[in-house]
């Protein structure tokens, strides 16, 4: 019956993985429903740090099944490497299931990602180069798509041969320097049949699995990847990812209807970060931005790129919380701001001299934004040992409360460090 979703409300890396890992204990199934190996989710406990990409962050509770549904684009090679890495660390992946509807990332998708990383205006999207956009493009285009279930059909090899013929022509047209027949169909067939055999026990109809789980009143936890501002339909297009990474994507990615979703936890950092191209109104391209990057270790989990850092943008977060249907918030990485004497929050945008609390639909308007800030005093003390709301200094509590007020959604969780233990569950009566 109850389904809870964990969704990032900024541009990704809000520490969704940490919250999913913690909440898995109270759920019966964990579900990754969109994105692919562009995601990098970090889970820390018992002094160990795990980085996950395709595998749901619930994997550390071996009794809880982890599903990867049809909305995900799956690179079998990196998926197998990820499983093997976890197994080496003693993590059981027995309970992992992948949808036969999930689309498969093929070697040409990487080439296409490399060659088509630009928007029509010529600026880099700055993709993770994991073949995500091209694979989703082929999914929507239908003719050139391969799904997990296709790997087990007799026609698979034949399809790869004809697809390689088409894709070789396209790639040559885009980049003649790469040669006329860079895709080796025979090798691709052999590699992918090997992956298919290895993954066979995990491949199933996850939609049917989830619908049965709902009938049985199982508690389902949905793990979003990326963040709502990267949503293909509602984000800062074209500087977005190719899936519905806001709350609206849970249903189409998983096959679970909206009426089952009872709670949506919007995950926010206490400040803002972004990796890749595109406008970022509150960006701090100065020593404060560098301070936040250093304190928060803000370097990409997947690509290691330095993350762009800035003040908390309440206009953007209010938009994505409403868009995603956030019922509560989880404020992450609060400790990163601990040394700052003053902290700013963007509460309004000024566009062409007009003040607004609405997030613009056009990226050119977002580029014009003059952020209007309020500045509040910092707390300037270490909070990484805080475990209860009352343990936080008054200014830190006031800051968290202000974020909730500006977004219009109550704060339920506050995180003061990467470890599972460094998490405060806020009793609403204490706010
Ligand atoms: P995700 O993609 O949303 O799961 O987030 P990432 O794992 O890419 O990035 C979040 C980073 O912040 C990871 O390195 C986490 O270990 C770390 N982290 C999570 N919560 C906290 C916190 O409260 N404080 C600090 N300092 N680091 C945190
Ligand atoms: P998690 O799940 C942060 C960004 C890329 C690029 C844009 C498009 O860890 O929060 P893509 O490879 O998806 O076509 O790249 O989206 N991006 C992310 N940024 N966190 C992520 O995932 C991201 N996944 C994609 O940097 O700007
Ligand atoms: Mg990440």
């Amino acid at each position: 019956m109850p389904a809870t979703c964990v969704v990032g409300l900024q541009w990704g890396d809000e520490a969704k993985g940490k919250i999913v890992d913690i909440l898995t204990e109270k759920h019966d199934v964990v579900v990754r429903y969109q994105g692919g190996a562009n995601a990098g989710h970090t889970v820390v406990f018992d002094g160990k740090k795990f980085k996950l990409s395709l595998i749901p962050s619930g994997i550390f509770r071996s009794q809880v099944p982890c599903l990867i549904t049809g909305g995900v684009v799956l690179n079998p090679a990196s998926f197998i490497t990820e499983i093997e890495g976890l197994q080496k660390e003693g993590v059981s992946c027995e309970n992992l299931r992948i949808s036969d509807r999930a689309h498969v990332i093929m070697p040409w998708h990487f080439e296409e990602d490399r060659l088509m990383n630009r928007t029509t205006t010529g600026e880099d999207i700055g993709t993770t180069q994991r073949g995500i956009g091209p694979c989703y493009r082929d999914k929507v285009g239908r003719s050139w798509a391969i799904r997990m279930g296709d790997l087990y059909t007799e026609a698979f090899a034949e399809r790869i041969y004809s697809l390689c013929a088409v894709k070789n022509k396209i790639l040559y047209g885009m980049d003649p320097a790469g040669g006329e027949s860079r895709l080796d169909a025979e090798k691709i067939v052999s590699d992918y049949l090997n992956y298919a055999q290895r993954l066979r026990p995990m491949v199933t109809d996850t939609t049917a699995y989830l619908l049965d789980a709902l009938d049985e009143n199982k508690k389902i936890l949905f793990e979003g990847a990326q963040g709502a501002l990267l949503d293909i339909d509602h984000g800062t297009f074209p500087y977005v990812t190719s899936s519905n990474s806001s709350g609206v994507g849970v249903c189409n990615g998983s096959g679970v209807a909206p009426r089952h979703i009872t709670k949506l936890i919007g995950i926010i950092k206490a400040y803002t970060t972004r990796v890749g191209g595109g406008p970022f109104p509150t960006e701090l391209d100065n020593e404060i931005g560098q301070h936040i990057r250093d304190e928060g270790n803000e370097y990409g989990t997947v690509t290691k790129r330095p993350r762009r850092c800035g003040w908390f943008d309440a206009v953007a977060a209010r938009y994505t919380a409403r868009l995603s249907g956030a019922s509560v918030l989880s404020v992450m990485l609060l400790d990163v701001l601990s040394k700052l004497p003053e902290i700013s929050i963007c509460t309004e945008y000024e566009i062409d001299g007009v003040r607004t609390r609405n997030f613009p639909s056009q990226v050119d308007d977002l580029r014009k934004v003059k952020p209007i800030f309020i500045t509040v005093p910092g707390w300037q003390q270490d909070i990484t040992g805080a475990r209860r709301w009352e343990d936080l200094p008054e200014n830190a509590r006031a800051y968290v409360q202000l974020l909730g007020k500006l977004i219009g959604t109550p704060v339920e969780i506050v995180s003061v460090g990467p470890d599972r233990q460094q998490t405060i569950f806020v009793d609403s009566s204490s706010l």
Side-chain angles (χ1 to χ4, degrees):
M1 193 227 347
T4 300
C5 312
V6 170
V7 170
L9 297 185
Q10 294 158 317
W11 277 290
D13 303 325
E14 299 89 349
K16 302 171 289 292
K18 167 174 171 166
I19 294 302
V20 170
D21 166 63
I22 290 172
L23 297 181
T24 298
E25 211 176 14
K26 296 195 177 119
H27 288 83
D28 302 311
V29 189
V30 178
V31 184
R32 252 299 291 276
Y33 56 90
Q34 46 73 228
N38 47 350
H41 299 173
T42 317
V43 174
V44 181
F45 57 90
D46 297 342
K48 273 194 173 176
K49 185 176 189 167
F50 295 91
K51 294 187 175 204
L52 302 163
S53 204
L54 268 162
I55 296 180
S57 304
I59 197 72
F60 304 102
R61 322 273 181 172
S62 59
Q63 74 286 5
V64 179
C66 286
L67 268 50
I68 295 174
T69 63
V72 170
V73 287
L74 193 133
N75 171 0
S78 70
F79 183 60
I80 291 168
T81 308
E82 200 179 335
I83 293 173
E84 288 172 351
L86 283 175
Q87 285 172 335
K88 260 194 214 138
E89 296 289 330
V91 180
S92 165
C93 293
E94 286 289 301
N95 255 337
L96 208 46
R97 297 285 174 274
I98 49 185
S99 170
D100 53 1
R101 291 181 173 89
H103 282 249
V104 184
I105 300 202
M106 302 299 296
W108 47 84
H109 293 137
F110 292 101
E111 291 250 14
E112 291 172 18
D113 211 357
R114 180 175 64 82
L115 295 167
M116 296 184 71
N117 186 20
R118 296 253 155 92
T119 64
T120 41
T121 52
E123 195 186 326
D124 267 2
I125 297 173
T127 79
T128 59
Q129 299 287 298
R130 297 299 188 269
I132 305 296
C135 186
Y136 276 118
R137 181 165 54 228
D138 280 346
K139 166 181 171 168
V140 178
R142 295 154 298 167
S143 319
W144 299 335
I146 301 281
R147 304 202 298 176
M148 280 308 293
D150 298 333
L151 300 178
Y152 305 98
T153 60
E154 272 187 20
F156 176 68
E158 206 179 302
R159 286 182 64 189
I160 295 298
Y161 276 93
S162 63
L163 266 175
C164 279
V166 178
K167 290 286 187 178
N168 266 328
K169 278 192 200 142
I170 294 170
L171 291 174
Y172 182 68
M174 288 163 74
D175 173 33
E180 271 183 70
S181 50
R182 63 186 84 179
L183 297 168
D184 178 347
E186 201 178 321
K187 181 171 182 330
I188 296 173
V189 169
S190 149
D191 286 350
Y192 277 72
L193 286 178
N194 276 332
Y195 304 145
Q197 198 186 0
R198 173 82 168 75
L199 298 176
R200 183 79 199 113
M202 298 178 193
V203 178
T204 190
D205 179 350
T206 57
T207 309
Y209 185 107
L210 279 173
L211 296 178
D212 285 346
L214 288 164
D215 284 347
E216 290 160 21
N217 264 340
K218 297 247 170 85
K219 288 191 196 144
I220 301 175
L221 180 62
F222 289 99
E223 174 178 9
Q226 291 81 51
L229 293 170
L230 290 170
D231 187 290
I232 183 73
D233 290 307
H234 308 285
T236 52
F237 190 87
Y239 303 97
V240 291
T241 190
S242 297
S243 65
N244 285 116
S245 50
S246 69
V248 305
V250 180
C251 299
N252 71 331
S254 67
V256 167
R259 78 180 174 93
H260 297 292
I261 293 166
T262 44
K263 183 170 183 178
L264 193 139
I265 306 178
I267 314 289
I268 50 171
K269 277 181 181 170
Y271 48 94
T272 312
T273 63
R274 173 163 212 179
V275 200
F280 177 176
T282 62
E283 183 166 13
L284 290 163
D285 196 7
N286 58 17
E287 69 286 358
I288 302 177
Q290 188 57 44
H291 171 82
I292 292 175
R293 189 174 301 114
D294 292 341
E295 291 291 309
N297 191 24
E298 292 292 0
Y299 294 88
T301 313
V302 176
T303 57
K304 316 279 180 267
R305 287 177 290 180
R307 293 176 183 149
R308 299 158 65 191
C309 298
W311 293 126
F312 189 82
D313 183 341
V315 176
R318 176 175 164 268
Y319 163 63
T320 52
R322 292 159 78 211
L323 168 74
S324 298
S327 25
V328 293
L329 298 172
S330 183
V331 178
M332 312 301 290
L333 295 107
L334 186 66
D335 54 298
V336 172
L337 302 181
S338 289
K339 291 184 185 154
L340 294 169
E342 286 184 328
I343 303 167
S344 295
I345 305 173
C346 168
T347 53
E348 270 186 296
Y349 286 174
E350 190 183 302
I351 305 175
D352 293 332
V354 179
R355 285 213 184 182
T356 178
R357 280 182 79 202
N358 287 335
F359 192 78
S361 56
Q362 300 301 308
V363 84
D364 285 339
D365 288 331
L366 194 62
R367 277 186 222 284
K368 288 193 251 171
V369 161
K370 185 171 160 258
I372 309 296
F373 290 109
I374 53 167
T375 298
V376 295
W379 44 95
Q380 296 200 281
Q381 75 186 72
D382 182 8
I383 58 169
T384 55
R387 296 292 176 268
R388 297 169 311 152
W389 177 246
E390 307 79 72
D391 297 340
L392 289 172
E394 201 181 328
N395 286 353
R397 293 203 301 258
Y399 181 73
V400 169
Q401 277 175 315
L402 185 55
L403 297 188
K405 198 170 154 224
L406 290 168
I407 295 170
T409 309
V411 176
E412 188 174 82
I413 305 172
V414 179
S415 175
V416 293
D419 195 88
R420 268 181 194 168
Q421 310 294 327
Q422 292 173 300
T423 313
I424 297 168
F425 287 87
V426 187
D427 173 2
S428 56
S429 60
S430 60
L431 281 173

